Amino acid sequence: MTTETRYEGGLGIEPGSDPYESYERMRRDAPVNRVGEGFWAVAKFEDVNAILRDWQTFSSIVGAKAISGEVPASGMIFNDPPIHTRLRGMIQKAFTPRVVEEQRPAIQAYCDELVEKMLAEEDPDLVASLAYPLPVMVIANMLGVADGDMAVFKRWSDVIIQNIGPSLLNGDDSGLGDTNAEFNAYFGERLEELRRQPDDSLLSGLIQVETEEGKLTRDELLMFCRLLLVAGNETTTGLIVNSMRVFSEFPDALQQVKEDLDLIPVAVEEALRYYAPFQATIRRATKDVELRGQKIAKDERILVLLASANRDEEAFENPKDFRLDRGRNRHVAFGFGIHSCVGAPLARLEGGIALATLLPKIRSVTLLDDDAGEMLLPGGPNSLRVHFELE
Ligand code: HEM
């Protein structure tokens, strides 16, 4: 590896260009690549897997203030054991396969309603009509705030996502404005109501969850609400958008799935591999390490390119093909290791029901105002007009 092959100062992705072309170049020329001061990007499946597996060497505590010890690392996703283990144990208790499966009738009802309205429109906006509202309705229902204001949730979620870089990495919360305060006031009040009068919602369950280490604190409960609203929404929006993107590019696969709807779970997995909704996560080296001849120093941070790993030629046969016969699909769209996605069963259920509702009604889908560069954003594009040819 020579410095000439590096893309110092960035991922080498031009705005508006297809990120997968850059990932391919990285895997070929600079799979462990210094992309900025104290920042690396890792592009190959094997390395991505090894990093996610080894949380002792590659920590999820990546925030500048947490690294310097100025503030303790908070939350679950950007934390390590033992705090992560405690929080994850608690959320899993309230997030069991049974709880997820119980959402099926509500998800089906939302899908029926949203798909019918969407297909009544000429060239609808897929994001506004289905991909955004479905996950937000589902999570709001699970949090017991189904009557809440979707537009407000969307605004909070967008602001939090847009500021995740500066607020997490540099501790700069200035872009968040009043969002955290508004969010905490809204859910804080809801928590008080549920303490007084528990119901069967996920949030009420989380309040009741008690393990040997005790109950979740108010701050931890608010963190979960924020995590579920943000992590659970934009990504599932991305899954729905990306499934349609795949079917617009591979119309034969669409026909195959239409002819055999039992292929839907396989199609969902392959769509997750093909266009990962959450393109990258981040880790910090806890000691000096060497990876493919590159020396990563203690406390340097690493962009773990999940989307690139999922197209690695050494891990997947013909990775640029969308295939329904891949057999075991070991994509890392949901991450891997101790932080692997808690919400994966819910996302799979939502994606599957959305496809099962929509596909029998359409012959083809064409994306009308596509911008490949927006795939990099966690929820994909903010709007995407599509043309459906109806059955
Ligand atoms: C297609 C949709 C989704 C994708 C692609 C996705 C992706 C991911 C990934 C890659 C991680 C690991 C991050 C890391 O290792 O740093 C993760 C973690 C997580 N996800 Fe998801 N996610 C999706 C849907 C959801 C949903 C629906 C929920 C909840 C309602 C959710 C909740 C979480 C939580 C709580 C974590 C943190 C787990 C931990 O730190 O142990 N996700 N997700």
Side-chain angles (χ1 to χ4, degrees):
M1 187 68 43
T2 63
T3 40
E4 286 78 42
T5 55
R6 293 182 182 172
Y7 307 105
E8 289 266 4
L11 288 174
I13 301 174
E14 294 297 322
S17 72
D18 181 349
Y20 285 94
E21 289 171 12
S22 304
Y23 299 151
E24 192 177 346
R25 275 199 307 277
M26 273 185 233
R27 285 194 303 276
R28 191 185 57 224
D29 300 336
V32 177
N33 172 29
R34 195 176 161 87
V35 290
E37 188 53 40
F39 245 100
W40 295 82
V42 169
K44 287 201 59 78
F45 184 89
E46 195 188 331
D47 300 335
V48 163
N49 237 276
I51 289 173
L52 296 180
R53 184 179 295 130
D54 182 359
W55 62 265
Q56 275 112 333
T57 309
F58 301 101
S59 166
S60 286
I61 301 178
V62 292
K65 288 186 178 171
I67 298 172
S68 68
E70 205 178 314
V71 295
S74 71
M76 164 177 169
I77 198 161
F78 299 114
N79 223 325
D80 292 340
I83 296 176
H84 169 263
T85 320
R86 169 175 168 270
L87 295 174
R88 176 132 185 158
M90 286 182 166
I91 199 171
Q92 262 173 346
K93 283 204 168 183
F95 218 87
T96 58
R98 185 181 57 82
V99 174
V100 171
E101 189 52 38
E102 276 171 12
Q103 308 308 312
R104 185 182 285 280
I107 299 174
Q108 186 63 65
Y110 291 143
C111 274
D112 288 341
E113 183 191 327
L114 294 169
V115 165
E116 193 185 321
K117 268 198 208 147
M118 176 172 76
L119 295 183
E121 274 178 56
E122 178 94 20
D123 301 343
D125 176 351
L126 175 68
V127 178
S129 306
L130 177 67
Y132 177 71
L134 178 66
V136 110
M137 281 162 134
V138 172
I139 205 69
N141 190 38
M142 288 180 84
L143 288 175
V145 291
D147 50 350
D149 185 340
M150 299 291 160
V152 175
F153 289 171
K154 166 103 181 117
R155 182 164 55 77
W156 287 339
S157 170
D158 283 349
V159 173
I160 295 171
I161 283 270
Q162 279 154 17
N163 286 283
I164 200 149
S167 77
L168 171 72
L169 298 178
N170 310 321
D172 172 11
D173 283 348
S174 54
L176 285 171
D178 296 331
T179 299
N180 273 344
E182 286 174 25
F183 187 97
N184 290 350
Y186 180 92
F187 279 96
E189 204 174 300
R190 186 76 193 119
L191 288 171
E192 285 316 311
E193 280 167 22
L194 287 173
R195 267 188 230 284
R196 284 194 300 273
Q197 210 171 352
D199 63 19
D200 57 4
S201 66
L202 173 81
L203 191 51
S204 192
L206 281 173
I207 295 172
Q208 309 304 323
V209 161
E210 187 156 9
T211 64
E212 282 161 20
E213 293 91 24
K215 289 195 164 208
L216 289 162
T217 65
R218 181 180 184 274
D219 281 352
E220 285 169 346
L221 284 162
L222 288 172
M223 178 276 294
F224 273 129
C225 294
R226 204 168 16 247
L227 186 59
L228 295 180
L229 197 71
V230 177
N233 278 335
E234 307 275 337
T235 45
T236 312
T237 299
L239 168 60
I240 295 171
V241 169
N242 293 345
S243 307
M244 287 302 117
R245 187 186 299 279
V246 158
F247 287 134
S248 74
E249 290 172 23
F250 298 92
D252 290 350
L254 173 62
Q255 292 318 316
Q256 236 182 303
V257 180
K258 276 173 66 64
E259 278 160 29
D260 180 3
L261 293 180
D262 288 346
L263 285 173
I264 284 177
V266 175
V268 168
E269 292 313 302
E270 182 66 346
L272 284 162
R273 182 193 72 82
Y274 203 84
Y275 286 131
F278 194 67
Q279 297 254 308
T281 185
I282 187 161
R283 293 294 187 267
R284 172 180 57 93
T286 55
K287 57 182 183 196
D288 294 353
V289 281
E290 197 172 314
L291 211 55
R292 292 192 191 258
Q294 301 284 12
K295 291 187 170 54
I296 302 177
K298 178 175 183 300
D299 285 342
E300 289 193 320
R301 286 173 280 186
I302 303 159
L303 213 46
V304 183
L305 295 172
L306 306 171
S308 171
N310 283 348
R311 296 280 194 103
D312 190 337
E313 303 69 12
E314 282 177 10
F316 299 94
E317 207 183 296
N318 298 328
K320 286 188 196 168
D321 291 349
F322 181 86
R323 283 172 48 174
L324 295 164
D325 62 350
R326 252 180 215 289
R328 190 168 152 256
N329 192 339
R330 32 182 213 134
H331 68 76
V332 284
F334 287 123
F336 184 77
I338 62 166
H339 287 278
S340 73
C341 182
V342 169
L346 180 64
R348 288 182 164 121
L349 187 66
E350 285 181 51
I353 294 178
L355 292 189
T357 311
L358 180 57
L359 297 195
K361 298 184 167 64
I362 61 167
R363 272 189 209 167
S364 70
V365 53
T366 314
L367 311 190
L368 297 179
D369 48 11
D370 194 19
D371 176 357
E374 292 192 330
M375 269 190 288
L376 277 180
L377 306 174
N382 270 328
S383 73
L384 178 59
R385 270 184 334 113
V386 294
H387 176 73
F388 290 116
E389 194 189 350
L390 299 183
E391 278 293 354

